Amino acid sequence: MKVYVVVEDWSCDFESGESIVAFSTMEKARAYMNNRIEEIQQEYDYDTTEITETYGDFYNEGYYRENHTSIRIEEVDIDKEV
């Protein structure tokens, strides 16, 4: 079985964090990610934005380590043995 995981990591003033949310379909994962992208764009004043269907990266040029938000969708096969 495959699940689609939205991974969001951020850094703000040298503090950082990560959130992971799993979905049963790619469509649900994309809808969640697109909603988060809108929230990120409204909440933060990043000057550089890179967005694809499964990835978003937001940061201020030259200050990625101090302030950024990245979000991506990963496909995970949960039946596969590790």
Side-chain angles (χ1 to χ4, degrees):
M1 176 182 181
K2 294 185 192 265
V3 295
Y4 301 89
V5 179
V6 178
V7 179
E8 182 176 342
D9 70 80
W10 58 270
S11 175
C12 182
D13 299 327
F14 294 107
E15 292 186 35
S16 62
E18 183 175 74
S19 69
I20 300 171
V21 182
F23 297 90
S24 59
T25 67
M26 177 63 89
E27 292 76 24
K28 290 179 182 178
R30 279 192 183 131
Y32 177 82
M33 186 184 82
N34 289 335
N35 185 54
R36 283 295 301 137
I37 285 172
E38 286 182 27
E39 292 173 354
I40 291 164
Q41 289 176 319
Q42 290 174 3
E43 188 172 343
Y44 301 102
D45 189 27
Y46 292 124
D47 61 23
T48 305
T49 301
E50 299 172 21
I51 300 173
T52 69
E53 285 189 25
T54 59
Y55 180 78
D57 199 20
F58 310 89
Y59 56 95
N60 289 322
E61 194 65 42
Y63 294 95
Y64 191 87
R65 279 184 17 145
E66 293 126 15
N67 295 293
H68 78 269
T69 301
S70 294
I71 190 166
R72 68 187 178 279
I73 298 174
E74 295 181 7
E75 183 179 292
V76 179
D77 187 352
I78 61 174
D79 292 331
K80 184 177 177 181
E81 288 188 33
V82 179

